[in-house]
Amino acid sequence: MAAFENLDGDDDWDEGFAGDLVGCTLLAGLTFVDHDDALVRRQQIFGKVESVDRADGIALRCHVSDELVMLAPILDAIEPGQPGIYQLSDADEQVEDPDFTVLLTVRNPLRH
């Protein structure tokens, strides 16, 4: 498993919040861009948080595929979910009242 590295120098990890996320539902909106910030694709995933670790990331068990997805452990980006029904753009699936939501951008590095 690849470790995530804090690149901004801040060390504001909230161990209590990280622990509170385990067992909660999380709706994640992922935007994938290339090294020039051009859009590659967008994806939405939803599932239960299995673990949260400062180095390993957020382990999210996807509701539909049962796949374990690792998300960057950027706790500041996670917000309480607003009540309602969320339509996933990639599927016909709907998510009702997620505990938390997060929007993340995944940037591909320039490869030589």
XYZ file of all heavy atoms in Angstrom:
863
model
N 0.830 -1.167 0.000
C 0.000 0.000 0.000
C 0.885 1.245 0.000
O 1.835 1.338 0.748
C -0.873 -0.018 1.262
C -2.221 0.593 1.071
S -3.203 0.554 2.589
C -3.687 -1.151 2.652
N 0.583 2.182 -0.870
C 1.371 3.416 -0.947
C 1.006 4.344 0.196
O -0.157 4.485 0.553
C 1.115 4.106 -2.280
N 2.009 4.968 0.764
C 1.775 5.918 1.849
C 1.538 7.300 1.266
O 2.116 7.671 0.255
C 2.963 5.938 2.799
N 0.660 8.051 1.907
C 0.401 9.429 1.520
C 1.343 10.322 2.302
O 1.632 10.081 3.461
C -1.051 9.813 1.819
C -2.037 9.133 0.922
C -2.650 7.953 1.307
C -2.346 9.666 -0.313
C -3.561 7.320 0.475
C -3.260 9.040 -1.150
C -3.863 7.869 -0.760
N 1.797 11.358 1.664
C 2.738 12.270 2.292
C 2.119 13.656 2.373
O 1.525 14.142 1.414
C 4.013 12.327 1.452
C 5.068 13.235 1.995
C 6.303 13.263 1.105
O 6.369 12.499 0.134
O 7.193 14.072 1.388
N 2.239 14.294 3.520
C 1.752 15.652 3.709
C 2.750 16.605 3.061
O 3.880 16.716 3.499
C 1.605 15.949 5.202
C 1.018 17.307 5.472
O 0.948 18.155 4.593
N 0.592 17.519 6.687
N 2.322 17.293 2.010
C 3.231 18.144 1.253
C 3.179 19.607 1.673
O 4.037 20.385 1.285
C 2.916 18.051 -0.244
C 3.073 16.663 -0.857
C 2.670 16.685 -2.319
C 4.486 16.154 -0.703
N 2.198 19.997 2.461
C 2.071 21.423 2.782
C 2.714 21.805 4.111
O 2.686 22.965 4.496
C 0.611 21.872 2.751
C -0.256 21.156 3.768
O 0.293 20.458 4.652
O -1.488 21.293 3.694
N 3.280 20.841 4.826
C 3.978 21.150 6.068
C 3.082 21.257 7.284
O 3.572 21.324 8.402
N 1.778 21.300 7.099
C 0.868 21.380 8.239
C 0.742 20.013 8.895
O 0.709 18.994 8.233
C -0.526 21.845 7.797
C -0.535 23.285 7.337
O 0.379 24.020 7.741
O -1.440 23.669 6.580
N 0.678 20.015 10.199
C 0.484 18.768 10.923
C -0.719 18.931 11.839
O -0.595 18.991 13.045
C 1.743 18.411 11.723
C 1.685 16.984 12.245
O 0.840 16.206 11.764
O 2.486 16.649 13.131
N -1.888 19.039 11.226
C -3.109 19.276 11.981
C -4.019 18.042 11.972
O -5.222 18.144 11.897
C -3.844 20.504 11.453
C -4.147 20.402 9.970
O -3.697 19.433 9.327
O -4.825 21.302 9.445
N -3.399 16.872 12.036
C -4.131 15.606 12.032
C -5.037 15.533 13.256
O -4.590 15.771 14.374
C -3.145 14.448 12.024
C -3.801 13.110 12.000
C -3.967 12.271 13.052
C -4.385 12.457 10.875
N -4.611 11.133 12.660
C -4.885 11.220 11.319
C -4.534 12.796 9.542
C -5.519 10.325 10.462
C -5.162 11.907 8.693
C -5.646 10.681 9.158
N -6.298 15.217 13.050
C -7.280 15.119 14.125
C -7.599 13.641 14.359
O -8.456 13.056 13.693
C -8.541 15.896 13.755
C -9.561 15.950 14.875
O -9.504 15.109 15.803
O -10.433 16.834 14.814
N -6.886 13.038 15.293
C -7.033 11.600 15.566
C -8.454 11.245 15.996
O -8.986 10.197 15.635
C -6.035 11.176 16.639
C -5.884 9.675 16.773
C -5.248 9.034 15.549
O -4.282 9.582 15.012
O -5.735 7.961 15.124
N -9.090 12.131 16.756
C -10.457 11.881 17.199
C -11.424 11.825 16.031
O -12.260 10.920 15.941
N -11.323 12.798 15.114
C -12.191 12.819 13.940
C -11.909 11.624 13.046
O -12.828 11.001 12.516
C -12.029 14.127 13.171
C -12.913 14.241 11.960
C -14.286 14.089 12.064
C -12.370 14.502 10.716
C -15.107 14.186 10.952
C -13.178 14.610 9.596
C -14.550 14.448 9.713
N -10.631 11.286 12.893
C -10.265 10.123 12.081
C -10.943 8.865 12.626
O -11.506 8.070 11.871
C -8.753 9.952 12.058
N -10.923 8.700 13.934
C -11.575 7.549 14.551
C -13.087 7.581 14.397
O -13.725 6.542 14.209
N -13.664 8.782 14.460
C -15.119 8.923 14.315
C -15.595 8.539 12.919
O -16.752 8.136 12.743
C -15.557 10.365 14.606
C -15.439 10.728 16.077
O -15.308 9.815 16.915
O -15.459 11.942 16.373
N -14.741 8.676 11.902
C -15.130 8.358 10.527
C -15.319 6.858 10.304
O -16.107 6.448 9.445
C -14.078 8.866 9.545
C -14.014 10.374 9.325
C -12.795 10.726 8.470
C -15.284 10.882 8.686
N -14.605 6.045 11.065
C -14.670 4.582 10.876
C -16.098 4.102 11.143
O -16.699 4.425 12.155
C -13.659 3.864 11.787
C -13.815 2.347 11.676
C -12.235 4.291 11.445
N -16.629 3.366 10.165
C -17.990 2.843 10.249
C -19.035 3.771 9.663
O -20.192 3.379 9.507
N -18.644 4.973 9.312
C -19.581 5.942 8.728
C -19.635 5.783 7.212
O -18.720 5.255 6.590
C -19.151 7.375 9.072
S -19.355 7.781 10.804
N -20.717 6.289 6.617
C -20.828 6.294 5.170
C -20.205 7.571 4.623
O -20.315 8.641 5.221
C -22.293 6.186 4.714
O -23.053 7.241 5.299
C -22.885 4.842 5.102
N -19.518 7.432 3.481
C -18.814 8.546 2.863
C -19.111 8.547 1.366
O -18.963 7.522 0.696
C -17.305 8.423 3.091
C -16.415 9.484 2.466
C -16.670 10.853 3.093
C -14.944 9.108 2.619
N -19.555 9.689 0.867
C -19.750 9.903 -0.562
C -18.586 10.756 -1.044
O -18.384 11.869 -0.554
C -21.077 10.615 -0.824
C -21.360 11.061 -2.261
C -21.365 9.872 -3.216
C -22.681 11.809 -2.320
N -17.787 10.213 -1.967
C -16.596 10.906 -2.451
C -16.756 11.259 -3.917
O -17.094 10.403 -4.744
C -15.355 10.030 -2.262
N -16.497 12.518 -4.233
C -16.449 12.975 -5.611
C -14.993 13.164 -5.989
O -14.282 13.952 -5.363
N -14.537 12.411 -6.980
C -13.130 12.445 -7.391
C -13.017 13.062 -8.781
O -13.733 12.666 -9.704
C -12.544 11.041 -7.419
C -12.694 10.217 -6.130
C -12.178 8.810 -6.334
C -11.980 10.895 -4.988
N -12.127 14.027 -8.925
C -11.828 14.636 -10.214
C -10.386 14.292 -10.555
O -9.480 14.606 -9.787
C -12.000 16.167 -10.162
O -13.355 16.461 -9.798
C -11.693 16.797 -11.513
N -10.188 13.637 -11.688
C -8.855 13.247 -12.127
C -8.396 14.222 -13.207
O -9.112 14.436 -14.190
C -8.872 11.814 -12.687
C -9.201 10.777 -11.656
C -10.525 10.471 -11.351
C -8.196 10.102 -10.983
C -10.836 9.520 -10.404
C -8.505 9.139 -10.026
C -9.824 8.854 -9.728
N -7.221 14.818 -13.007
C -6.667 15.758 -13.973
C -5.245 15.329 -14.330
O -4.589 14.611 -13.577
C -6.662 17.207 -13.430
C -8.081 17.699 -13.165
C -5.810 17.334 -12.178
N -4.778 15.792 -15.495
C -3.396 15.485 -15.872
C -2.458 16.527 -15.268
O -2.892 17.404 -14.514
C -3.244 15.366 -17.394
C -3.468 16.673 -18.134
O -3.474 17.755 -17.504
O -3.631 16.616 -19.368
N -1.180 16.462 -15.615
C -0.183 17.355 -15.022
C -0.419 18.823 -15.354
O 0.087 19.706 -14.671
C 1.225 16.928 -15.443
C 1.456 17.049 -16.920
N 1.035 16.074 -17.793
C 2.025 18.022 -17.661
C 1.343 16.448 -19.021
N 1.946 17.621 -18.971
N -1.218 19.101 -16.413
C -1.555 20.478 -16.779
C -2.930 20.893 -16.249
O -3.487 21.897 -16.692
C -1.538 20.637 -18.301
C -0.129 20.598 -18.876
O 0.794 21.116 -18.206
O 0.041 20.058 -19.981
N -3.497 20.100 -15.370
C -4.820 20.331 -14.786
C -5.974 20.197 -15.777
O -7.068 20.688 -15.530
C -4.899 21.696 -14.079
C -4.094 21.719 -12.800
O -3.905 20.644 -12.196
O -3.644 22.806 -12.393
N -5.737 19.530 -16.900
C -6.819 19.251 -17.844
C -7.622 18.058 -17.325
O -7.062 17.060 -16.857
C -6.259 18.941 -19.225
N -8.931 18.160 -17.407
C -9.813 17.109 -16.914
C -9.591 15.803 -17.670
O -9.587 15.774 -18.899
C -11.274 17.541 -17.047
C -12.316 16.529 -16.613
C -12.234 16.264 -15.112
C -13.707 17.002 -17.001
N -9.403 14.728 -16.916
C -9.285 13.388 -17.485
C -10.619 12.659 -17.314
O -11.169 12.111 -18.264
C -8.134 12.594 -16.820
C -8.109 11.157 -17.307
C -6.806 13.288 -17.066
N -11.144 12.666 -16.093
C -12.446 12.040 -15.821
C -12.916 12.417 -14.432
O -12.149 12.926 -13.611
C -12.382 10.523 -15.961
C -11.567 9.827 -14.896
C -11.496 8.314 -15.150
N -10.523 7.686 -14.300
C -10.826 7.025 -13.184
N -12.073 6.886 -12.811
N -9.872 6.488 -12.455
N -14.169 12.136 -14.173
C -14.765 12.316 -12.846
C -15.381 10.999 -12.412
O -15.842 10.218 -13.240
C -15.841 13.396 -12.883
C -15.289 14.782 -13.040
C -16.362 15.833 -12.773
N -15.774 17.138 -12.729
C -15.878 18.043 -13.686
N -16.563 17.763 -14.774
N -15.305 19.218 -13.563
N -15.387 10.786 -11.100
C -15.948 9.546 -10.556
C -16.553 9.847 -9.190
O -16.025 10.671 -8.433
C -14.839 8.500 -10.423
C -15.296 7.185 -9.861
C -14.148 6.193 -9.704
O -12.974 6.530 -9.837
N -14.491 4.949 -9.406
N -17.647 9.191 -8.895
C -18.238 9.261 -7.566
C -18.250 7.863 -6.983
O -18.591 6.897 -7.675
C -19.668 9.798 -7.628
C -19.745 11.243 -8.043
C -21.179 11.680 -8.250
O -21.937 11.036 -8.946
N -21.539 12.792 -7.639
N -17.858 7.765 -5.718
C -17.907 6.479 -5.031
C -18.567 6.671 -3.674
O -18.523 7.752 -3.096
C -16.507 5.840 -4.883
C -15.535 6.788 -4.182
C -15.962 5.413 -6.231
C -14.170 6.184 -3.924
N -19.176 5.605 -3.211
C -19.906 5.655 -1.947
C -19.680 4.347 -1.212
O -19.668 3.280 -1.800
C -21.399 5.842 -2.211
C -22.249 5.686 -0.990
C -22.268 6.669 -0.015
C -23.013 4.554 -0.799
C -23.040 6.525 1.127
C -23.793 4.400 0.327
C -23.804 5.397 1.292
N -19.485 4.453 0.099
C -19.335 3.242 0.887
C -19.098 3.546 2.346
O -19.281 4.678 2.800
N -18.678 2.508 3.080
C -18.378 2.626 4.507
C -16.877 2.762 4.713
O -16.085 2.076 4.080
C -18.865 1.398 5.259
C -20.316 1.471 5.649
C -20.549 0.637 6.894
C -21.993 0.609 7.265
N -22.509 1.818 7.819
N -16.518 3.640 5.615
C -15.114 3.830 5.965
C -14.682 2.670 6.858
O -15.287 2.428 7.903
C -14.904 5.180 6.684
C -13.460 5.322 7.140
C -15.313 6.348 5.784
N -13.649 1.933 6.440
C -13.152 0.801 7.222
C -12.012 1.199 8.152
O -11.882 0.647 9.235
C -12.710 -0.333 6.302
C -13.870 -1.032 5.644
C -13.485 -2.352 5.027
O -12.286 -2.725 5.024
O -14.396 -3.032 4.532
N -11.174 2.127 7.689
C -10.069 2.582 8.532
C -9.602 3.945 8.038
O -9.822 4.312 6.890
C -8.909 1.580 8.532
O -8.337 1.492 7.240
N -8.948 4.664 8.956
C -8.367 5.967 8.611
C -6.988 6.023 9.247
O -6.845 5.828 10.449
C -9.238 7.137 9.132
C -8.613 8.470 8.755
C -10.667 7.042 8.604
N -5.985 6.265 8.409
C -4.608 6.306 8.886
C -3.894 7.473 8.225
O -4.049 7.696 7.021
C -3.902 4.991 8.544
C -2.495 4.942 9.071
O -2.317 4.570 10.244
O -1.569 5.299 8.305
N -3.143 8.194 8.991
C -2.436 9.384 8.505
C -1.522 9.063 7.317
O -1.407 9.856 6.393
C -1.657 9.972 9.675
C -0.501 10.823 9.309
C 0.271 11.195 10.538
N -0.254 12.463 11.004
C -0.144 12.921 12.230
N 0.469 12.236 13.134
N -0.630 14.085 12.546
N -0.865 7.920 7.308
C 0.050 7.563 6.221
C -0.618 6.730 5.134
O -0.370 6.937 3.943
C 1.252 6.805 6.775
N -1.471 5.791 5.516
C -2.070 4.872 4.549
C -3.309 5.431 3.868
O -3.693 4.965 2.803
C -2.431 3.543 5.216
C -1.198 2.784 5.662
O -0.123 2.976 5.061
O -1.295 1.998 6.621
N -3.982 6.390 4.477
C -5.159 6.995 3.874
C -6.460 6.485 4.467
O -6.492 5.844 5.514
N -7.534 6.795 3.772
C -8.888 6.414 4.184
C -9.295 5.200 3.370
O -9.363 5.263 2.136
C -9.875 7.571 3.948
C -9.454 8.798 4.766
C -11.308 7.140 4.277
C -10.192 10.072 4.414
N -9.557 4.090 4.037
C -9.985 2.865 3.367
C -11.503 2.884 3.278
O -12.194 2.851 4.299
C -9.505 1.636 4.129
N -12.021 2.955 2.055
C -13.459 3.030 1.806
C -13.905 1.773 1.082
O -13.415 1.466 -0.008
C -13.771 4.275 0.970
C -15.233 4.544 0.661
C -15.986 4.920 1.931
C -15.360 5.658 -0.365
N -14.828 1.033 1.691
C -15.387 -0.177 1.077
C -16.588 0.245 0.233
O -17.607 0.674 0.753
C -15.817 -1.171 2.152
C -16.432 -2.448 1.627
C -15.462 -3.353 0.927
N -14.382 -3.775 1.812
C -13.350 -4.495 1.406
N -13.244 -4.883 0.151
N -12.391 -4.816 2.259
N -16.430 0.162 -1.100
C -17.475 0.629 -2.012
C -18.739 -0.207 -1.883
O -18.681 -1.439 -1.839
C -16.976 0.597 -3.452
S -15.708 1.821 -3.759
N -19.846 0.496 -1.852
C -21.154 -0.127 -1.646
C -21.521 -1.086 -2.773
O -22.000 -2.185 -2.525
C -22.222 0.962 -1.499
C -23.607 0.449 -1.361
N -24.042 -0.203 -0.233
C -24.660 0.485 -2.215
C -25.314 -0.550 -0.393
N -25.708 -0.146 -1.576
N -21.305 -0.698 -4.023
C -21.737 -1.505 -5.160
C -20.776 -2.644 -5.458
O -21.162 -3.797 -5.560
C -21.913 -0.611 -6.415
C -22.196 -1.447 -7.645
C -23.024 0.389 -6.186
N -19.474 -2.332 -5.582
C -18.499 -3.324 -6.042
C -17.832 -4.103 -4.918
O -17.160 -5.086 -5.182
C -17.401 -2.625 -6.852
O -16.641 -1.781 -6.006
N -17.969 -3.653 -3.680
C -17.302 -4.233 -2.525
C -15.779 -4.081 -2.613
O -15.037 -4.694 -1.867
C -17.691 -5.700 -2.328
C -17.450 -6.164 -0.898
O -17.720 -5.378 0.035
O -16.964 -7.292 -0.706
N -15.315 -3.239 -3.538
C -13.885 -2.967 -3.709
C -13.411 -2.041 -2.584
O -14.141 -1.154 -2.145
C -13.674 -2.293 -5.055
C -12.269 -1.861 -5.341
C -12.170 -1.084 -6.656
O -13.186 -0.839 -7.315
O -11.032 -0.711 -6.991
N -12.186 -2.253 -2.127
C -11.589 -1.369 -1.136
C -10.793 -0.300 -1.870
O -9.860 -0.604 -2.606
C -10.684 -2.147 -0.179
C -10.157 -1.356 1.010
C -11.301 -0.937 1.929
C -9.139 -2.171 1.779
N -11.174 0.959 -1.680
C -10.526 2.090 -2.338
C -9.818 2.916 -1.274
O -10.371 3.180 -0.206
C -11.570 2.951 -3.079
C -10.936 4.199 -3.669
C -12.265 2.141 -4.155
N -8.593 3.327 -1.593
C -7.834 4.173 -0.674
C -7.912 5.621 -1.139
O -7.609 5.925 -2.291
C -6.375 3.716 -0.607
C -6.194 2.306 -0.077
S -6.939 1.992 1.537
C -5.978 3.055 2.590
N -8.340 6.484 -0.234
C -8.429 7.916 -0.504
C -7.370 8.647 0.310
O -6.965 8.185 1.382
C -9.810 8.448 -0.118
C -11.016 7.816 -0.805
C -12.305 8.355 -0.206
C -10.964 8.065 -2.303
N -6.950 9.789 -0.195
C -5.983 10.609 0.532
C -6.572 11.026 1.878
O -7.747 11.381 1.962
C -5.624 11.839 -0.289
N -5.762 10.988 2.935
C -6.267 11.306 4.281
C -6.308 12.819 4.542
O -5.647 13.338 5.428
C -5.264 10.607 5.192
C -3.980 10.672 4.425
C -4.374 10.527 2.973
N -7.098 13.518 3.750
C -7.233 14.968 3.888
C -8.504 15.226 4.682
O -9.587 15.446 4.124
C -7.257 15.654 2.514
C -6.027 15.264 1.711
C -7.340 17.182 2.690
C -6.040 15.732 0.276
N -8.381 15.172 5.996
C -9.556 15.271 6.871
C -10.255 16.613 6.751
O -11.483 16.687 6.898
C -9.162 15.004 8.322
C -8.540 13.638 8.616
C -8.269 13.492 10.109
C -9.421 12.500 8.109
N -9.506 17.683 6.457
C -10.107 19.010 6.341
C -11.089 19.103 5.178
O -11.941 19.990 5.157
C -9.028 20.082 6.157
C -8.219 20.317 7.410
O -8.650 19.872 8.500
O -7.150 20.943 7.317
N -10.981 18.212 4.199
C -11.863 18.242 3.033
C -13.183 17.517 3.295
O -14.125 17.657 2.516
C -11.159 17.610 1.834
N -13.271 16.774 4.379
C -14.463 15.976 4.676
C -15.466 16.826 5.446
O -15.126 17.481 6.428
C -14.081 14.720 5.476
C -13.139 13.859 4.634
C -15.326 13.940 5.894
C -12.573 12.666 5.368
N -16.708 16.805 4.954
C -17.772 17.596 5.570
C -18.956 16.705 5.912
O -19.176 15.682 5.260
C -18.208 18.699 4.613
C -17.059 19.593 4.219
C -17.522 20.928 3.684
O -18.733 21.195 3.669
O -16.647 21.697 3.287
N -19.733 17.106 6.915
C -20.952 16.346 7.215
C -21.869 16.336 5.992
O -22.016 17.357 5.308
C -21.589 17.117 8.363
C -20.470 17.901 8.977
C -19.540 18.223 7.841
N -22.464 15.192 5.709
C -23.389 15.093 4.584
C -24.696 15.802 4.895
O -25.175 15.771 6.027
N -25.239 16.447 3.903
C -26.540 17.088 4.047
C -27.623 16.047 3.787
O -27.486 15.224 2.882
C -26.664 18.249 3.061
C -25.651 19.351 3.290
C -25.803 19.977 4.672
O -26.905 20.324 5.088
N -24.700 20.094 5.390
N -28.693 16.066 4.557
C -29.779 15.105 4.319
C -30.323 15.238 2.900
O -30.396 16.338 2.354
C -30.842 15.513 5.341
C -30.124 16.310 6.377
C -28.981 16.975 5.667
N -30.630 14.101 2.318
C -31.190 14.112 0.975
C -30.752 12.908 0.180
O -30.029 12.045 0.669
N -31.192 12.887 -1.064
C -30.861 11.793 -1.974
C -29.873 12.331 -3.007
O -30.120 13.343 -3.656
C -32.123 11.232 -2.654
C -33.047 10.634 -1.593
C -31.753 10.202 -3.710
C -34.373 10.163 -2.120
N -28.749 11.637 -3.140
C -27.696 12.017 -4.079
C -27.693 11.013 -5.223
O -27.594 9.812 -4.984
C -26.331 12.005 -3.398
C -26.174 13.009 -2.278
C -26.770 12.814 -1.039
C -25.406 14.153 -2.461
C -26.620 13.733 -0.007
C -25.243 15.079 -1.441
C -25.854 14.860 -0.218
O -25.697 15.762 0.801
N -27.784 11.494 -6.446
C -27.734 10.636 -7.629
C -26.287 10.494 -8.067
O -25.616 11.491 -8.350
C -28.558 11.253 -8.765
C -28.525 10.458 -10.046
C -29.277 9.154 -9.940
O -30.383 9.115 -9.403
N -28.683 8.075 -10.419
N -25.775 9.272 -8.108
C -24.402 9.058 -8.573
C -24.376 9.201 -10.089
O -25.191 8.617 -10.796
C -23.894 7.673 -8.163
C -23.801 7.409 -6.658
C -23.155 6.063 -6.394
C -23.042 8.506 -5.950
N -23.439 9.981 -10.588
C -23.394 10.282 -12.017
C -22.959 9.090 -12.869
O -23.334 8.996 -14.020
C -22.465 11.466 -12.278
O -21.153 11.153 -11.872
N -22.160 8.194 -12.304
C -21.627 7.061 -13.071
C -22.591 5.877 -13.143
O -22.340 4.928 -13.863
C -20.317 6.559 -12.462
C -19.221 7.610 -12.520
O -19.422 8.644 -13.176
O -18.166 7.399 -11.902
N -23.664 5.914 -12.388
C -24.564 4.759 -12.308
C -25.982 5.229 -12.040
O -26.233 6.407 -11.835
C -24.101 3.814 -11.194
N -26.878 4.270 -12.018
C -28.265 4.581 -11.701
C -28.508 4.574 -10.203
O -29.638 4.725 -9.763
C -29.195 3.563 -12.366
C -29.194 3.712 -13.883
O -28.977 4.846 -14.363
O -29.407 2.711 -14.576
N -27.462 4.413 -9.443
C -27.587 4.294 -7.998
C -27.807 5.648 -7.330
O -27.288 6.678 -7.761
C -26.340 3.643 -7.404
C -26.490 3.375 -5.924
C -25.305 2.648 -5.341
O -24.323 2.434 -6.052
O -25.381 2.316 -4.165
N -28.585 5.607 -6.262
C -28.808 6.788 -5.443
C -28.300 6.522 -4.035
O -28.344 5.395 -3.550
C -30.304 7.129 -5.378
C -30.880 7.552 -6.701
C -32.348 7.896 -6.584
O -33.049 7.401 -5.716
N -32.811 8.749 -7.481
N -27.807 7.570 -3.412
C -27.304 7.494 -2.046
C -28.181 8.392 -1.195
O -28.399 9.552 -1.532
C -25.837 7.967 -1.979
C -25.351 8.002 -0.548
C -24.950 7.082 -2.843
N -28.673 7.846 -0.092
C -29.545 8.635 0.777
C -28.845 8.942 2.097
O -28.334 8.055 2.763
C -30.847 7.878 1.053
C -31.860 8.715 1.803
C -33.230 8.061 1.881
O -33.435 7.012 1.244
O -34.086 8.612 2.584
N -28.801 10.209 2.431
C -28.295 10.704 3.710
C -26.913 10.152 4.095
O -26.748 9.525 5.139
C -29.287 10.389 4.830
C -30.646 11.015 4.616
O -30.727 12.040 3.915
O -31.633 10.481 5.147
N -25.887 10.409 3.266
C -24.539 9.959 3.663
C -24.103 10.695 4.928
O -24.480 11.849 5.146
C -23.666 10.343 2.473
C -24.388 11.488 1.829
C -25.849 11.216 2.044
N -23.319 10.019 5.753
C -22.819 10.661 6.972
C -21.874 11.810 6.639
O -21.915 12.867 7.270
C -22.084 9.646 7.856
C -23.005 8.548 8.364
O -24.154 8.853 8.741
O -22.560 7.385 8.381
N -21.006 11.589 5.621
C -20.013 12.589 5.244
C -19.854 12.626 3.730
O -20.159 11.651 3.044
C -18.648 12.281 5.886
C -18.647 12.398 7.379
C -18.844 11.285 8.180
C -18.460 13.630 7.994
C -18.842 11.388 9.559
C -18.460 13.746 9.368
C -18.658 12.626 10.157
N -19.339 13.757 3.228
C -19.002 13.901 1.816
C -17.594 14.482 1.711
O -17.116 15.142 2.642
C -19.983 14.825 1.076
O -19.929 16.133 1.650
C -21.412 14.289 1.132
N -16.956 14.228 0.567
C -15.627 14.790 0.313
C -15.458 14.972 -1.193
O -15.949 14.158 -1.980
C -14.503 13.888 0.894
C -14.440 12.542 0.203
C -13.156 14.597 0.843
N -14.805 16.061 -1.568
C -14.434 16.311 -2.961
C -12.908 16.350 -3.027
O -12.276 17.121 -2.301
C -15.010 17.640 -3.451
C -16.528 17.741 -3.487
C -16.947 19.160 -3.847
C -17.117 16.749 -4.472
N -12.335 15.516 -3.886
C -10.877 15.440 -4.013
C -10.468 15.535 -5.473
O -11.167 15.037 -6.355
C -10.353 14.119 -3.443
C -10.583 13.863 -1.959
C -10.195 12.431 -1.597
C -9.793 14.858 -1.122
N -9.330 16.160 -5.718
C -8.741 16.202 -7.050
C -7.486 15.337 -7.040
O -6.637 15.478 -6.164
C -8.363 17.649 -7.446
O -9.560 18.441 -7.448
C -7.727 17.699 -8.815
N -7.414 14.441 -8.018
C -6.270 13.536 -8.160
C -5.488 13.998 -9.380
O -5.999 13.977 -10.500
C -6.730 12.070 -8.325
C -5.526 11.152 -8.472
C -7.622 11.656 -7.171
N -4.259 14.442 -9.155
C -3.433 14.993 -10.227
C -2.382 13.964 -10.632
O -1.593 13.508 -9.821
C -2.762 16.287 -9.754
C -1.967 16.999 -10.822
C -1.583 18.406 -10.398
N -2.765 19.251 -10.394
C -3.348 19.717 -9.270
N -2.877 19.408 -8.097
N -4.424 20.479 -9.349
N -2.363 13.634 -11.935
C -1.348 12.722 -12.466
C -0.053 13.487 -12.688
O -0.075 14.586 -13.252
C -1.806 12.111 -13.797
C -2.948 11.144 -13.610
O -3.053 10.479 -12.594
N -3.827 11.080 -14.597
N 1.078 12.925 -12.288
C 2.359 13.621 -12.492
C 2.785 13.580 -13.950
O 2.346 12.731 -14.729
C 3.329 12.815 -11.619
C 2.729 11.453 -11.571
C 1.235 11.645 -11.606
N 3.650 14.496 -14.324
C 4.227 14.500 -15.657
C 5.211 13.345 -15.755
O 6.088 13.180 -14.928
C 4.955 15.830 -15.900
C 5.696 15.972 -17.227
C 4.721 15.856 -18.394
C 6.436 17.287 -17.270
N 5.036 12.527 -16.767
C 5.920 11.369 -16.987
C 6.814 11.677 -18.182
O 6.358 12.134 -19.201
C 5.110 10.118 -17.253
C 4.121 9.824 -16.136
C 4.273 8.395 -15.694
N 3.186 8.016 -14.800
C 3.301 7.977 -13.487
N 4.430 8.325 -12.913
N 2.307 7.624 -12.730
N 8.095 11.396 -18.029
C 9.049 11.648 -19.123
C 9.332 10.381 -19.870
O 9.305 9.323 -19.444
C 10.360 12.216 -18.565
C 10.161 13.542 -17.893
N 10.008 14.700 -18.599
C 10.056 13.879 -16.595
C 9.848 15.719 -17.747
N 9.870 15.229 -16.514
